[in-house]
Amino acid sequence: MSNMITGNYNYMAPYASGYSVGAASASQPGAASGKPTVNPGEPTQVNPGRKSSPAECETCKNRKYQDGSDEMVSFKSASHISPQASASRVRAHEQEHVSNAFTKAAKKGGKVLAANVTLKTAVCPKCGTSYVAGGTTATRIKYPNETNPYVKEKKAQDALSFIGRNLDMAV
């Protein structure tokens, strides 16, 4: 049971139990491979099986996020998010979609039945840094439709089924 997660997670040291992070000299960024540091504050050690260190990873530096929905939310134009901030920024963005669903339902007299947010994670193929790659929000909204003849008929049938179910008698 030593591997059980209890609710506290150190996001700043994701490899604390496996790899030694930041073993290269922090005073000499890029000292491990002689490349310039493009992601300051990241470890300069190249992890086993990876092509670059997180400090030198051009892929992480150039990663952009953009929303493809037709709603007015953040990230309509592509912008960069650091791997450490990606979880909170993507979660906040997906919350904007949930908030829009509640607003839309309230304007039209509907009710939000469900709002599900899914965050997708990935690992950078060059440096091995884990990050949140994106997210999706799925909402279900129920709107009353009193003008639909099928709805009117269903309500009439329901009313007929309730007649005579309860009997109140006085003796």
Side-chain angles (χ1 to χ4, degrees):
M1 285 277 173
S2 63
N3 292 339
M4 182 185 294
I5 298 174
T6 60
N8 295 328
Y9 183 75
N10 183 0
Y11 288 101
M12 300 312 291
Y15 304 111
S17 62
Y19 302 115
S20 60
V21 176
S25 172
S27 63
Q28 297 176 345
S33 64
K35 296 179 184 175
T37 300
V38 293
N39 299 312
E42 291 294 321
T44 57
Q45 179 182 5
V46 178
N47 291 328
R50 301 298 176 183
K51 295 179 182 176
S52 70
S53 72
E56 302 158 350
C57 186
E58 287 288 333
T59 304
C60 288
K61 179 186 176 217
N62 296 327
R63 184 174 298 114
K64 305 253 186 217
Y65 290 78
Q66 185 171 11
D67 181 67
S69 70
D70 58 354
E71 294 183 41
M72 290 308 300
V73 290
S74 59
F75 298 112
K76 290 316 263 181
S77 61
S79 59
H80 173 72
I81 304 174
S82 70
Q84 294 80 15
S86 63
S88 61
R89 297 279 305 271
V90 171
R91 190 178 308 123
H93 168 79
E94 295 303 326
Q95 182 59 39
E96 290 179 48
H97 288 294
V98 173
S99 178
N100 286 349
F102 277 93
T103 303
K104 180 180 173 185
K107 284 181 181 177
K108 297 182 181 178
K111 179 181 177 184
V112 176
L113 299 177
N116 299 316
V117 174
T118 305
L119 298 180
K120 297 175 179 99
T121 59
V123 177
C124 178
K126 303 277 171 126
C127 69
T129 301
S130 297
Y131 62 96
V132 173
T136 56
T137 300
T139 56
R140 285 188 13 203
I141 303 173
K142 180 180 180 182
Y143 295 104
N145 190 358
E146 300 295 328
T147 60
N148 186 339
Y150 295 108
V151 172
K152 287 182 181 179
E153 183 61 31
K154 183 174 182 335
K155 285 188 175 187
Q157 292 295 324
D158 287 344
L160 288 174
S161 68
F162 288 118
I163 294 174
R165 267 202 186 165
N166 296 324
L167 180 63
D168 291 334
M169 290 181 54
V171 186

